[in-house]
Amino acid sequence: MAITYTWTISALDCKVSEEGMSDVVQTVHWRYRGTDENGVTYETYSSTPVPTPNPEAFIPYPDLDLDTVTGWLESILDMEEIQANIATQIDLIINPVMVTLPLPTGSVV
């Protein structure tokens, strides 16, 4: 099963000032979506704390882009585990092992 993965960054929590830097990202709120070749999707979401950057490598907040922020996440998170979970969930959507059926006729709830 071929799955295409995409990131969405929902929010960035920032410390106003730290070690001479302004608007320092502390937490990334994210969504990671997998879509198979038939359009079946599953999305996971979370928030992840990021370490304080080295002042020499600091990227000012207005200069941040999706590639930079997702690069941070991909270096912190277990991407193989996240992708495996998404693949499993897509498979369960396609091939469910549990369903909710209507109550039998005459049932009293």
Side-chain angles (χ1 to χ4, degrees):
M1 163 175 23
I3 298 176
T4 303
Y5 296 97
T6 55
W7 286 103
T8 300
I9 304 303
S10 307
L12 300 171
D13 296 338
C14 300
K15 196 165 194 181
V16 174
S17 179
E18 184 169 358
E19 298 180 26
M21 301 173 283
S22 298
D23 301 326
V24 180
V25 176
Q26 299 289 298
T27 304
V28 178
H29 300 265
W30 55 268
R31 295 178 180 279
Y32 195 62
R33 175 184 292 243
T35 304
D36 78 357
E37 63 272 7
N38 296 312
V40 179
T41 64
Y42 183 81
E43 183 176 81
T44 189
Y45 57 92
S46 188
S47 59
T48 301
V50 294
T52 300
N54 179 324
E56 289 81 38
F58 177 68
I59 300 170
Y61 189 85
D63 296 337
L64 292 175
D65 58 22
L66 182 63
D67 288 339
T68 299
V69 176
T70 58
W72 297 342
L73 293 171
E74 289 172 358
S75 71
I76 296 168
L77 299 170
D78 185 341
M79 296 307 299
E80 286 184 23
E81 180 181 336
I82 292 171
Q83 289 179 353
N85 179 55
I86 289 172
T88 298
Q89 295 305 316
I90 288 173
D91 185 58
L92 286 171
I93 291 168
I94 297 167
N95 305 296
V97 295
M98 183 173 237
V99 295
T100 301
L101 299 175
L103 294 173
T105 303
S107 294
V108 177
V109 182

